[in-house]
Amino acid sequence: MGEMGLRERKKQRMYQDVSDIAVRLFLERGFDAVSVAEVAAAAGISKPTLFRYFPAKEDLVLHRIADHETEAARVVTGAADPVEALRRNFLTGLERRDPVTGLNDHPQVLAFHRLLYGTPALVARAYGHLERSEAALAEALGGGLDARLAAGQIIAVQRILAQENWRRIAAGEPVARVEPDAVRAAGRAFRRLGEALPELRRNE
């Protein structure tokens, strides 16, 4: 058991190290200007080995947000009021300046978001991340068309809230000025979701 745990930790470290090297190169020179072969060489691995970990070049960047794909699904699992649970989770993320909420002004976070949103290939690949997030959330909400419709609305709201926060901070506004508006906007958005999706609340 311990050996398997060590092997998994080494694998995850490899993912993280290679992704970090790739992102650094992409930030220095641009996503399109750096080849997969150059990333592999900088990481000290072969190109075939790199592709075993990352099926596409874009995945080298999106690895940083991959663990958020099932976050919404995890949050609503077992919750009597899924929308309220997601609201609390998003507000907690704002409070701790989680980069996924967009409310973070660390230079490396801002640079990563500029790379992500400013590279068409990454934007296109990120759409798959959103689809998988929606699918996982829909399954957690019970599956079926109604659950998929609800999941699509919820994931869209979270994405738009985060992008608005990032847009303002990237334009030069300080986090302290953006935060109160971000909290109010999240409150309004999730309240409207709750009103639009009352069937998600479970009677216990």
Side-chain angles (χ1 to χ4, degrees):
M1 181 74 77
E3 180 63 27
M4 287 298 293
L6 177 61
R7 188 177 301 123
E8 184 61 28
R9 286 196 297 274
K10 286 183 176 179
K11 182 179 179 181
Q12 291 305 316
R13 173 48 57 188
M14 171 67 81
Y15 272 109
Q16 192 62 51
D17 288 348
V18 176
S19 176
D20 287 347
I21 290 168
V23 170
R24 175 175 56 79
L25 291 173
F26 296 151
L27 290 175
E28 289 174 357
R29 294 163 48 194
F31 181 79
D32 294 326
V34 179
S35 69
V36 172
E38 288 176 292
V39 174
I45 59 177
S46 68
K47 187 175 175 180
T49 296
L50 185 147
F51 276 125
R52 281 203 298 272
Y53 285 94
F54 301 94
K57 181 182 177 182
E58 292 80 7
D59 294 332
L60 289 160
V61 177
L62 294 175
H63 170 72
R64 289 196 176 184
I65 62 173
D67 61 336
H68 288 288
E69 282 188 4
T70 58
E71 180 177 354
R74 292 195 302 269
V75 169
V76 305
T77 298
D81 189 338
V83 174
E84 174 59 19
L86 288 164
R87 183 191 70 83
R88 290 196 304 267
N89 184 67
F90 194 87
L91 290 176
T92 298
L94 291 174
E95 186 177 354
R96 68 171 184 263
R97 303 291 192 270
D98 190 329
V100 78
T101 68
L103 193 68
N104 189 300
D105 62 354
H106 190 286
Q108 291 183 353
V109 172
L110 291 176
F112 176 81
H113 282 149
R114 282 195 296 271
L115 172 67
L116 177 60
Y117 296 129
T119 306
L122 292 174
V123 172
R125 189 75 172 181
Y127 182 75
H129 163 80
L130 293 174
E131 284 192 320
R132 290 187 293 274
S133 296
E134 289 180 10
L137 178 56
E139 186 66 25
L141 293 174
L145 178 59
D146 287 344
R148 295 203 305 274
L149 290 170
Q153 293 176 68
I154 291 166
I155 296 300
V157 163
Q158 294 187 151
R159 174 181 59 81
I160 292 168
L161 289 171
Q163 286 186 338
E164 174 65 10
N165 296 337
W166 170 77
R167 182 191 64 78
R168 291 180 60 182
I169 291 171
E173 291 190 60
V175 167
R177 181 186 301 168
V178 176
E179 181 179 22
D181 291 341
V183 171
R184 284 192 292 270
R188 287 197 308 274
F190 281 99
R191 182 175 65 253
R192 290 169 182 168
L193 279 174
E195 292 168 352
L197 302 168
E199 69 277 8
L200 295 184
R201 289 191 289 272
R202 298 164 185 151
N203 296 321
E204 294 186 345

